[in-house]
Amino acid sequence: DGGITQSPKYLFRKEGQNVTLSCEQNLNHDAMYWYRQDPGQGLRLIYYSQIVNDFQKGDIAEGYSVSREKKESFPLTVTSAQKNPTAFYLCASSSGPILFATEAFFGQGTRLTVV
Amino acid sequence: AQKITQTQPGMFVQEKEAVTLDCTYDTSDQSYGLFWYKQPSSGEMIFLIYQGSYDEQNATEGRYSLNFQKARKSANLVISASQLGDSAMYFCAMREGSRGSARQLTFGSGTQLTVLP
């Protein structure tokens, strides 16, 4: 079945450590996105990528990094520079720029907790 | 300024009744799209319905319909014949599309809907 897979579902990180969240899709989608969701709030865009080897910062990119070496994969690294990383992270993909797509497909999310 | 405003943090509805979830938006673009997503407690975001700014008719998808009032900049979601499985968080989102390279969805803060038996 086609879809987006995020792993792990739950992740614990010690303060000062970098951690990488995985996002893989087999939908042949060009565009991929990372969002952060805090309790009781909507989603905020961290980074997005329209094509392989290209990505742009979203609204809250500080303390995060991404890569897009393969069309299927868009991993997100939460660095030690991110002061408040505890949140729910969602990855999404769409067949083209969201402008021209009527929906974006989301993964099931990764809940990151700093201990 | 908030681009998407959802003023109802929580809503309750009796099973089998209809419910309206409010959403207002702010944009100066002529071309834009409005989306509604459902987020159950498991966390995934489920696409429900889409309305384009140039669509003359209100969008409908099964029990979901979007009450689009362009002059008021509102895009309320109507769920008819509520079911217990409709209990979830609902997000309104907008993509603006006339300029720049950013093609993203901007989300509201959500409405937690609880369907009562």
Side-chain angles (χ1 to χ4, degrees):
Chain A
D1 286 339
I4 302 178
T5 302
Q6 287 186 243
S7 61
K9 191 170 182 180
Y10 299 96
L11 189 57
F12 296 88
R13 187 195 94 173
K14 291 184 179 179
E15 284 193 29
Q17 283 184 338
N18 291 356
V19 64
T20 298
L21 283 60
S22 168
C23 178
E24 304 276 332
Q25 53 98 358
N26 60 4
L27 300 164
N28 200 33
H29 284 173
D30 287 313
M32 297 187 74
Y33 306 78
W34 273 106
Y35 288 89
R36 169 182 171 139
Q37 185 179 25
D38 293 287
Q41 298 188 29
L43 279 65
R44 292 182 291 166
L45 183 68
I46 305 172
Y47 268 97
Y48 64 101
S49 167
Q50 305 285 28
I51 55 172
V52 175
N53 292 323
D54 186 53
F55 48 83
Q56 287 81 40
K57 294 181 179 180
D59 296 325
I60 55 166
E62 185 175 349
Y64 300 98
S65 66
V66 293
S67 63
R68 186 86 188 277
E69 297 176 1
K70 298 186 300 183
K71 190 175 186 178
E72 305 79 26
S73 179
F74 191 41
L76 173 74
T77 297
V78 184
T79 74
S80 57
Q82 171 50 239
K83 297 305 177 189
N84 186 20
T86 294
F88 187 59
Y89 292 86
L90 279 161
C91 179
S93 73
S94 65
S95 56
I98 278 187
L99 173 67
F100 301 111
T102 57
E103 56 186 283
F105 292 88
F106 284 83
Q108 296 217 326
T110 293
R111 194 167 299 280
L112 173 64
T113 303
V114 173
V115 296
Chain B
Q2 290 286 334
K3 289 204 169 189
I4 296 284
T5 302
Q6 294 180 254
T7 57
Q8 308 152 314
M11 287 280 286
F12 293 89
V13 64
Q14 208 67 39
E15 192 178 9
K16 299 180 185 176
E17 292 188 350
V19 63
T20 298
L21 306 184
D22 295 341
C23 173
T24 57
Y25 60 91
D26 182 27
T27 181
S28 56
D29 285 354
Q30 295 301 309
S31 175
Y32 54 89
L34 297 154
F35 301 72
W36 277 93
Y37 285 87
K38 172 184 178 181
Q39 186 179 43
S41 57
S42 53
E44 75 270 28
M45 296 288 280
I46 302 167
F47 166 74
L48 295 178
I49 197 167
Y50 166 82
Q51 178 88 39
S53 58
Y54 293 118
D55 295 341
E56 294 186 353
Q57 294 200 340
N58 286 344
T60 59
E61 289 286 347
R63 294 187 298 110
Y64 304 108
S65 61
L66 200 152
N67 184 1
F68 183 45
Q69 297 187 43
K70 196 169 181 177
R72 290 186 170 186
K73 293 189 175 178
S74 76
N76 299 339
L77 176 71
V78 180
I79 305 175
S80 63
S82 297
Q83 300 172 358
L84 295 178
D86 293 336
S87 293
M89 185 72 99
Y90 288 81
F91 289 97
C92 180
M94 175 176 67
R95 63 102 180 106
E96 297 166 282
S98 65
R99 62 181 181 275
S101 60
R103 296 292 182 258
Q104 57 170 298
L105 293 175
T106 302
F107 286 81
S109 56
T111 295
Q112 179 69 49
L113 176 67
T114 303
V115 180
L116 303 171

